[in-house]
Amino acid sequence: MLATGAAGGYGTYSNIKGAYNSGTALGAVAAGEGATAVLALVLLGLTMLGQSSPAVVRAGLWALPAAASAMSAVAAPDGPRTVIYAITPLGMSVSAEGMAFLARRIVVHVDGRDAEAEAKAASVVQALAYHRARAANHPDAKIRKRSDRASWRLARKVGTADTTLGARLLDVQRERITTGADVALGDMFAITATLVTPTRDAVTAAVTPALPPVPEPGAGEGPVTGGCDGEGTQVNDPPTGPEGEGVTPPVTPVTLDEVAAIAGVSTPLIGEPLTDEQIVVVLRFLRYSADPPLSYRQTAAAFRESGFTGGEARIRGAWATLMAQEESPR
């Protein structure tokens, strides 16, 4: 690159010296290639320091050689040599841009950050925020309309050439694909067991102590409709139907509040942000609200229809946690 720049400067000096004296040719080379070399060193130093280069430096890398190119083209004696004289000074611009580009890539590889891309991204985001604010609050309708259109044009540039943003987006997509594959394989190979939702009556019966048996009625006594426990409290027989059959008490399903209380979390509310534990509670409640239990897609659809809030990635993660809890030994 240095050799190319030096050859371009020497060629420009020789071309202009043929039409003017050596002093004029030396001044033209200093103003064109010399100033370009200074700007190239500035650009290279800023890049190695991890800083963005000003726009005037990038513009000067091409404006100064372009001026030298026009000067050489005017000094050419004929048409064919006009093209050659005009192209010669551009060697310095190519050398300077090449050195800066290579230095920039080395800094990005070593430090993991691109100062030039970060500066452009910050400029775009700042302009976008300004235009969105002006489009929403400016008193002039025409200015609001222009800012609204400008903000949409700027939105296309957000994240352009941002390697860090691209890597983070790829990590998010990998996580989503992994979770989706796990859920899909779980739906395909899981063995669905018919589970019965525990009721409040069953829980009450499990924790209530049994009453002692009622003694058989003595001879000659009428039918007994009740008895007394050990403390003398009257205990009535279960109610009977028209034909003497027992009446089955109504089954009371478990509520979401009870499921949340068992899990040790606060009751999930519709329309409010939920924690991961609350999402697991809601999914468990919805999954076992039917017999047989709902699948992932049915449970997720019921989650949305019920009005609860939660991203797709969080729902999939909570479902994986729920499946792991079901498969773990009780």
Side-chain angles (χ1 to χ4, degrees), residues 11-147:
T12 302
Y13 174 79
S14 301
N15 295 336
I16 297 179
K17 182 180 178 181
Y20 306 103
N21 54 35
S22 59
T24 302
L26 185 61
V29 172
E33 278 79 350
T36 304
V38 173
L39 294 179
L41 291 176
V42 172
L43 179 61
L44 182 62
L46 292 175
T47 304
M48 297 301 294
L49 292 176
Q51 302 177 8
S52 61
S53 58
V56 63
V57 175
R58 304 299 300 272
L61 287 176
W62 293 95
L64 295 177
S69 178
M71 184 186 303
S72 299
V74 172
D78 50 34
R81 278 184 286 185
T82 300
V83 178
I84 298 176
Y85 284 14
I87 294 177
T88 302
L90 298 180
M92 179 59 72
S93 296
V94 175
S95 300
E97 285 286 348
M99 287 187 293
F101 180 80
L102 183 59
R104 177 182 173 185
R105 286 291 179 253
I106 293 174
V107 172
V108 171
H109 176 72
V110 174
D111 295 342
R113 56 184 299 266
D114 191 347
E116 202 71 32
E118 291 177 358
K120 292 181 180 179
S123 177
V124 171
V125 172
Q126 181 181 8
L128 180 60
Y130 167 75
H131 282 290
R132 292 309 302 168
R134 194 169 74 163
N137 303 318
H138 200 278
D140 193 344
K142 294 182 179 180
I143 295 179
R144 291 200 303 268
K145 187 175 182 180
R146 287 198 298 267
S147 293

Side-chain angles (χ1 to χ4, degrees), residues 43-308:
L43 179 61
L44 182 62
L46 292 175
T47 304
M48 297 301 294
L49 292 176
Q51 302 177 8
S52 61
S53 58
V56 63
V57 175
R58 304 299 300 272
L61 287 176
W62 293 95
L64 295 177
S69 178
M71 184 186 303
S72 299
V74 172
D78 50 34
R81 278 184 286 185
T82 300
V83 178
I84 298 176
Y85 284 14
I87 294 177
T88 302
L90 298 180
M92 179 59 72
S93 296
V94 175
S95 300
E97 285 286 348
M99 287 187 293
F101 180 80
L102 183 59
R104 177 182 173 185
R105 286 291 179 253
I106 293 174
V107 172
V108 171
H109 176 72
V110 174
D111 295 342
R113 56 184 299 266
D114 191 347
E116 202 71 32
E118 291 177 358
K120 292 181 180 179
S123 177
V124 171
V125 172
Q126 181 181 8
L128 180 60
Y130 167 75
H131 282 290
R132 292 309 302 168
R134 194 169 74 163
N137 303 318
H138 200 278
D140 193 344
K142 294 182 179 180
I143 295 179
R144 291 200 303 268
K145 187 175 182 180
R146 287 198 298 267
S147 293
D148 188 50
R149 292 180 177 179
S151 62
W152 282 109
R153 289 193 298 268
L154 290 170
R156 296 183 300 177
K157 301 179 181 179
V158 175
T160 303
D162 192 343
T163 56
T164 304
L165 177 62
R168 291 181 179 178
L169 290 177
L170 287 177
D171 292 338
V172 172
Q173 292 301 322
R174 290 191 186 101
E175 182 177 357
R176 289 181 177 177
I177 292 174
T178 303
T179 305
D182 179 47
V183 173
L185 292 175
D187 290 342
M188 291 176 61
F189 297 104
I191 299 177
T192 304
T194 303
L195 301 179
V196 179
T197 306
T199 62
R200 187 183 292 105
D201 297 338
V203 174
T204 304
V207 299
T208 303
L211 298 176
V214 179
E216 295 293 335
E221 297 180 358
V224 178
T225 60
C228 296
D229 59 7
E231 298 180 357
T233 303
Q234 181 69 26
V235 179
N236 296 325
D237 292 336
T240 58
E243 299 180 358
E245 297 179 356
V247 179
T248 303
V251 177
T252 306
V254 175
T255 63
L256 181 59
D257 296 339
E258 294 173 340
V259 178
I262 294 173
V265 299
S266 58
T267 303
L269 299 178
I270 296 176
E272 294 187 0
L274 304 179
T275 63
D276 294 339
E277 293 78 8
Q278 289 177 323
I279 294 178
V280 174
V281 167
V282 175
L283 294 181
R284 179 182 287 111
F285 172 75
L286 295 175
R287 171 173 166 78
Y288 295 106
S289 62
D291 189 12
L294 302 179
S295 65
Y296 167 75
R297 293 180 178 85
Q298 295 172 337
T299 307
F303 184 90
R304 300 298 185 192
E305 294 174 358
S306 300
F308 293 101

